[in-house]
C-alpha cells in the first residue's frame, strides 16, 4: 500500500533533510520533534519504507509504502 501526503508549506531546507527523522529535532518553537521520528519508527516496524521530496518555499511530499500482508503472529507455543 502506498500513501502520499503533500503540503504547500515552507518545505524542508536541504541542510535539514538528514535530521528530520531524528527524535527531538524540530524547527518549530515549542515543538517536540517527535512526530516524524515516531511515524518513521512505526513504518520501519511494519517493514515499510518512507521517503520525501521537498522544495523550499513550495512544500513537501511524504511517501509511505507498507506491505499489504503482515507477517503472521507468533503462536504462543512457538515463543516458549
Amino acid at each position: 500500500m502506498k500513501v502520499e501526503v503533500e503540503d504547500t508549506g515552507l518545505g524542508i531546507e536541504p541542510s535539514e533533510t538528514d535530521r528530520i527523522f531524528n527524535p527531538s529535532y524540530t524547527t518549530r518553537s515549542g515543538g517536540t520533534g517527535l512526530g516524524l521520528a515516531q511515524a518513521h519508527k512505526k513504518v520501519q516496524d511494519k517493514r515499510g519504507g518512507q521517503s520525501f521530496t521537498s522544495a523550499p518555499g513550495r512544500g513537501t511530499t511524504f511517501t509511505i509504502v507498507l506491505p499489504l500482508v503482515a507477517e503472521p503472529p507468533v503462536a504462543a507455543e512457538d515463543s516458549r
Side-chain angles (χ1 to χ4, degrees), residues 28-44:
R28 297 180 181 199
S29 62
T32 63
L34 295 177
L36 287 176
Q38 288 178 340
H40 186 68
K41 174 78 170 105
K42 290 183 185 298
V43 169
Q44 286 182 326

Side-chain angles (χ1 to χ4, degrees), residues 7-24:
D7 71 22
T8 56
L10 298 176
I12 300 169
E13 293 294 328
S15 61
E16 298 173 355
T17 59
D18 61 340
R19 299 181 285 175
I20 66 166
F21 295 117
N22 293 348
S24 301

Side-chain angles (χ1 to χ4, degrees), residues 51-75:
S51 63
F52 68 95
T53 58
S54 188
R58 297 182 63 193
T60 302
T61 301
F62 282 89
T63 302
I64 299 169
V65 179
L66 296 170
L68 288 176
V69 178
E71 290 186 22
V74 176

